[in-house]
Amino acid sequence: MSFVEIISLSLAAILVENFIFVKFLGICPFIGVSKKTDTAIGMGLAVIFVMTVASAATYLVNQYILIKFDLNYMQTVAFILIIAALVQFVEMFLMKMIPSLYQALGIYLPLITTNCAVLGVALLNVTKELNFIGSVINGCMSGVGFAIAIILFSTIRERLVFADYPKAFEGFPIALVSASLLSLAFMGFQGLTVFK
Amino acid sequence: MKKFLKQLIDGLFTNNPVLVQLIGMCPTLATSTSLKNAIGMGLSAAAVLICSNVVISVLRKIIPSKVRIACYIVIIAGFVTIVDLLMQAYLPDLSVSLGMYIPLIVVNCIILARAEAFASKNSVVASLFDGIAMGLGFTFALCLLSIFRELIGNGTIYGIQVFGDSYEPITVIVQTPGGFLCLGILIAAFQVILKKIKRRQRS
C-alpha cells in the first residue's frame, strides 16, 4: 500500500468515518465511560489495542480458513468468538506479564468484548476488501478515532456539571444532546480526501 | 396470563430497554432513519432475543458458570446468522439498507443483558414471554424515534409523503447529529411522563 493510501485510510478512519460520531458504533461504552477524562483515556487505549489485534486476527481467519473452505456464512460466529477469545487471552497475558498496565486498564478490557466497535471494524474490513496491512491500519486508526472522540467528550462532560439545563435532561439525555453537537462539528470533515 | 400482561407493560413502558434501561443504543440510533428500517431491525432483534432466551433457559442448568458468557455469545451468534441469511434471501432490500447492523445484533447489549439477568435464572415459558416483551419494547422505542425522525427529516412516514411539496425537510435529523438529539429528547420526555404516571398512581 502506498504512503498516500495509508494516510488517506487513516484520515478517513479518524475523521470522516469516525466510529462514534459518524458510524454510531461503540455508543454504550462511549456514554458509560466518558464521565471522567482518566477513565476515558484508559478505555481509549484499551480499545485501540484490541481493535488493532482483532483486525489482524479476523483478517487472517477470514482469508485462510473461511474463504478457503467456503464457510462465509460462519463469519459472524467466527469473528465474535475470535474477539472474545482474544480479549480473554490479552487479559491473561497482561495480568502475568505487565501487571501495571493490567491494573491501569482495570475492568475495561472484558467490557470491550461486547463492544459494537470491535466487531464493526472487523466486518468493515471485510466489506471494504482491504488487504492485511490495510485491515490493521483501519483497525488501529478507527481505534484512535474512537479514543479521540471519547476523550473529547469526557472533557465536555466534566464541564456539563456546571451547566444549567432542564432537570428532565439529567444524566443520559443531556449527554446525548452534547454528543449531537459534537457530531454536527464532525460532519464538517465529510468530503475530506487526500489529493492523489 | 396476567403475569404475561404485566411483563408486556414492563417491557414496553416501565422497563423499556432503550428508553429506561438505556442499553442497546447503537442499533437504535443507526437504524431509526426510517420507519421501514426501524420495524425491520426491531423485529429481527426481537426474533433473535426470543429464540436465544428460550434456548439459554433450556440449557441454563447445563452451562457451566465460568464459560457462560462465551456460550451465550455462541448461541446468540448462531441465531443472528440464521436471521441474517433468511433476510438476505427473502427481504434483500431491507438487508441492504440495514447493512452490517444485522450481524451487529450479536453484540446488542439487550440480548446479552436479558440472557444474563433473566433467561439464565427463569423457566422456559417465563423467558419466552420476557423475550417477547423486551423485543416489542425495543421495536416500540425504535418506531417512536423513527416516526419522529422520518417525519421531520424527510417529510414522509414509511415512504408515504405526509407534508406537502412546500415542506423543506430538515435533513440533519436523519443523519448522525439528529439521531443523538432526537434520542436524548425522547428519553427525557419518556422518563418525565413515566414519573408523572407513577406519582399519580401513588396518590
Side-chain angles (χ1 to χ4, degrees):
Chain A
M1 282 197 103
S2 76
F3 188 64
V4 177
E5 278 180 32
I6 293 181
I7 296 284
S8 179
L9 190 59
S10 312
L11 270 182
I14 299 179
L15 295 175
V16 180
E17 294 189 6
N18 186 289
F19 257 51
I20 296 184
F21 292 127
V22 179
K23 283 202 145 64
F24 284 133
L25 297 172
I27 306 279
C28 296
F30 174 64
I31 306 260
V33 173
S34 59
K35 288 223 181 88
K36 306 195 109 239
T37 311
D38 343 345
T39 60
I41 295 179
M43 182 66 168
L45 289 174
V47 167
I48 295 177
F49 182 60
V50 172
M51 276 172 98
T52 315
V53 184
S55 297
T58 52
Y59 175 82
L60 291 172
V61 168
N62 192 32
Q63 200 64 26
Y64 296 119
I65 301 183
L66 292 179
I67 294 186
K68 213 169 200 185
F69 297 112
D70 210 11
L71 289 171
N72 273 329
Y73 58 89
M74 290 290 287
Q75 210 171 62
T76 315
V77 184
F79 280 9
I80 192 67
L81 276 178
I82 294 173
I83 293 173
L86 196 70
V87 174
Q88 190 70 28
F89 191 63
V90 165
E91 201 185 338
M92 286 195 294
F93 177 77
L94 279 185
M95 195 161 60
K96 286 263 167 70
M97 293 293 176
I98 318 176
S100 55
L101 186 59
Y102 178 72
Q103 288 293 345
L105 289 178
I107 64 158
Y108 303 130
L109 214 41
L111 228 71
I112 299 173
T113 313
T114 54
N115 189 347
C116 321
V118 185
L119 186 60
V121 79
L123 291 172
L124 271 176
N125 287 337
V126 172
T127 322
K128 283 194 189 171
E129 291 179 6
L130 298 167
N131 60 10
F132 182 69
I133 299 192
S135 300
V136 172
I137 291 184
N138 195 21
C140 184
M141 291 303 157
S142 303
V144 170
F146 181 92
I148 290 178
I150 204 174
I151 293 174
L152 267 179
F153 194 56
S154 72
T155 58
I156 293 181
R157 259 190 117 175
E158 278 190 352
R159 300 184 64 171
L160 264 183
V161 182
F162 307 110
D164 194 18
Y165 49 83
K167 193 156 161 275
F169 278 79
E170 186 99 43
F172 235 73
I174 194 66
L176 283 174
V177 174
S178 325
S180 91
L181 293 173
L182 251 173
S183 170
L184 202 58
F186 265 74
M187 266 180 83
F189 290 119
Q190 272 179 18
L192 181 69
T193 56
V194 175
F195 252 87
K196 287 222 170 120
Chain B
M1 195 60 203
K2 248 204 173 151
K3 215 164 117 182
F4 172 49
L5 212 60
K6 186 173 175 301
Q7 268 187 312
L8 193 61
I9 301 210
D10 213 34
L12 277 176
F13 300 115
T14 43
N15 217 7
N16 188 300
V18 177
L19 301 172
V20 178
Q21 290 182 54
L22 305 176
I23 50 178
M25 301 252 157
C26 304
T28 315
L29 289 164
T31 55
S32 55
T33 49
S34 75
L35 190 56
K36 193 169 186 194
N37 282 352
I39 295 180
M41 181 68 188
L43 292 179
S44 327
V48 174
L49 179 58
I50 294 172
C51 298
S52 71
N53 255 17
V54 166
V55 171
I56 290 174
S57 181
V58 164
L59 296 175
R60 73 183 184 277
K61 302 239 168 86
I62 310 178
I63 298 177
S65 172
K66 278 208 150 179
V67 290
R68 63 181 197 286
I69 299 286
C71 290
Y72 296 163
I73 289 183
V74 172
I75 296 173
I76 297 171
F79 282 118
V80 168
T81 311
I82 295 176
V83 166
D84 187 18
L85 291 173
L86 279 175
M87 223 186 216
Q88 281 179 20
Y90 294 116
L91 297 165
D93 320 316
L94 193 59
S95 173
V96 166
S97 71
L98 284 177
M100 68 171 173
Y101 288 99
I102 296 285
L104 280 176
I105 297 179
V106 169
V107 287
N108 192 336
C109 312
I110 298 180
I111 305 184
L112 208 59
R114 291 325 285 174
E116 174 84 7
F118 200 89
S120 62
K121 305 191 177 107
N122 289 288
S123 69
V124 179
V125 178
S127 301
L128 172 69
F129 286 143
D130 177 72
I132 296 177
M134 289 292 156
L136 281 179
F138 180 62
T139 314
F140 174 62
L142 266 179
C143 288
L144 262 185
L145 190 59
S146 70
I147 289 178
F148 189 58
R149 279 180 83 183
E150 197 186 355
L151 195 59
I152 300 191
N154 226 354
T156 64
I157 289 190
Y158 208 87
I160 311 169
Q161 197 76 18
V162 170
F163 294 147
D165 271 330
S166 59
Y167 176 68
E168 188 72 41
I170 311 177
T171 341
V172 76
I173 298 269
V174 283
Q175 291 171 328
T176 329
F180 282 118
L181 188 69
C182 295
L183 185 61
I185 296 177
L186 185 64
I187 293 178
F190 202 77
Q191 297 197 339
V192 161
I193 295 177
L194 269 185
K195 245 182 248 170
K196 285 215 166 110
I197 295 180
K198 271 201 191 122
R199 212 177 300 157
R200 206 177 300 160
Q201 272 185 345
R202 227 177 291 152
S203 66

